[in-house]
Amino acid sequence: PFNDLDTCSKIIKKEELACVFFEPVQGAACVPAEKEFIKGLREVCDQTGTLLIADEVITGFRLAPGGGQEVLGIKPDLTTFGKAIGGGEFPVGAVGGRRDIMELMDHTKHPRRSENVAQGGTYSGNPLVMRAGYEAMQEYKKKDVYNNINKLGERLKTGFKEIMERSNTEGYVAGLGSMVKIHFLKERTKNNDLQTLLSKAHKEREIKYFHHLLSNRILAMAPGKVHFFISNPHTTEDIDNLITVTEDFIKSIK
C-alpha cells in the first residue's frame, strides 16, 4: 500500500522480491509519496538486496530537473522515464540507473547470455524523437520553467482549496508542484491517504465535472480521471479561468 511503510516492509522481507517500484507522486491521484515512506523503502531494499525502481514516467523532468527523486531526496537503483522527454509531442521511454546494472545490457562487457540482459526495440533511438528529446532537455535546463509551472500549480491548488472550503464541499485537493487534482468524496474523512480517497471517491460527481469542463472548452484526460498537469505554455489567465469554471461547477451541485 502506498505510504504504508510497515506493510510494505513486511511484504518485501517475506516475499524475497527482485525489485520494488514506486511513484514519487501517485499518477492520476496526484498524491505525493511521504519522504519517510520513501526513505524507509530505500532502507528495507538495501537490507534485503532488493532493487528500488522509481517510476518517473510522469514526474521525471516535471517536478524538477532531477524529477521526483530530487524533490524527495531519494536515490533509486533504476529509474524509468517517458512523457516529458518527448516534449509532450513524441512517444518515448527511457531507463537509467546504477552503472553496474546498466552495464548488464552491454554485451561487450558481459558476453555470456547468463550474465547479460537483452534489450532492444523496433523504434529504439528513433532520430526524430531523440532530436525532439534533446531540444526539450535544453528547455528544461532553464530554471524559469520549473519556477513558472510550480508557481502556477500552487496557485491552482490554493484556488481549489479555497473553493472547497467556502462551499463546504466534501473533497480533498491533492498535488505537488505542477500536478493538482480535486478528489470529490461521498463523505467527509479525517484521513487523506490514497486508499481512503479511492474508496470514498464520488465517481459520478467527477464525471459531471469532466463534462462541465468540456462544455467550457477545458479538456481533461477522461471522465472519472480529471487531474491537471500544468505545462510551461499555460498562463495565469488559464489557471484563473479553470478556478472560476470549477467554482461554477461546485455552485451547480450544491
Side-chain angles (χ1 to χ4, degrees):
F2 191 64
N3 280 334
D4 184 344
L5 181 58
D6 288 340
T7 302
C8 286
S9 295
K10 291 177 182 177
I11 294 173
I12 295 170
K13 292 177 180 179
K14 178 182 178 181
E15 300 297 335
E16 297 184 5
L17 303 176
C19 62
V20 172
F21 280 83
F22 77 92
E23 282 187 290
V25 177
Q26 274 286 335
C30 292
V31 176
E34 296 172 358
K35 288 188 177 182
E36 289 304 311
F37 171 67
I38 298 301
K39 180 182 177 182
L41 279 185
R42 176 72 278 177
E43 291 176 353
V44 72
C45 283
D46 287 341
Q47 293 169 5
T48 58
T50 307
L51 293 181
L52 183 62
I53 304 177
D55 177 351
E56 295 238 44
V57 170
I58 293 177
T59 55
F61 303 105
R62 164 170 285 283
L63 295 180
Q69 55 197 272
E70 176 183 330
V71 175
L72 295 172
I74 189 71
K75 189 174 182 179
D77 300 302
L78 290 171
T79 303
T80 59
F81 299 99
K83 300 183 185 293
I85 297 179
E89 295 292 338
F90 295 92
V92 61
V95 61
R98 282 171 27 198
R99 181 181 297 275
D100 61 312
I101 298 175
M102 297 300 293
E103 283 186 346
L104 294 175
M105 291 186 282
D106 184 346
H107 294 195
T108 62
K109 293 185 177 181
H110 299 278
R112 294 184 180 179
R113 289 188 177 183
S114 60
E115 298 176 352
N116 62 42
V117 176
Q119 189 279 331
T122 303
Y123 299 107
S124 293
N126 179 277
L128 178 61
V129 176
M130 292 301 96
R131 183 63 192 185
Y134 174 81
E135 294 299 334
M137 294 299 106
Q138 305 316 302
E139 290 298 312
Y140 302 153
K141 289 179 180 179
K142 301 174 182 178
K143 292 184 179 180
D144 59 337
V145 170
Y146 295 100
N147 291 337
N148 181 46
I149 62 175
N150 288 334
K151 183 178 179 180
L152 292 177
E154 189 58 36
R155 186 183 187 92
L156 182 60
K157 189 176 178 181
T158 299
F160 281 169
K161 284 183 176 180
E162 291 176 349
I163 292 171
M164 301 296 277
E165 290 172 1
R166 283 199 302 268
S167 61
N168 198 31
T169 301
E170 295 83 357
Y172 176 72
V173 180
L176 180 65
S178 58
M179 303 171 65
V180 183
K181 176 181 176 64
I182 296 179
H183 288 269
F184 292 106
L185 304 176
K186 292 183 177 180
E187 60 186 60
R188 299 193 183 283
T189 175
K190 294 182 179 179
N191 297 320
N192 296 314
D193 59 274
L194 181 63
Q195 289 73 28
T196 300
L197 294 176
L198 294 179
S199 65
K200 297 185 180 298
H202 198 316
K203 296 181 180 179
E204 295 80 6
R205 183 164 291 178
E206 185 163 2
I207 292 173
K208 289 181 179 179
Y209 180 45
F210 170 85
H211 289 291
H212 178 81
L213 292 172
L214 194 60
S215 67
N216 284 274
R217 303 175 65 83
I218 298 174
L219 180 61
M221 181 177 178
K225 291 185 178 180
V226 180
H227 52 270
F228 305 99
F229 295 168
I230 298 166
S231 59
N232 207 39
H234 284 123
T235 65
T236 300
E237 289 72 23
D238 292 327
I239 300 303
D240 290 345
N241 179 55
L242 176 53
I243 293 172
T244 299
V245 170
T246 299
E247 185 164 26
D248 290 341
F249 172 73
I250 297 296
K251 290 178 180 178
S252 73
I253 61 175
K254 299 303 286 184

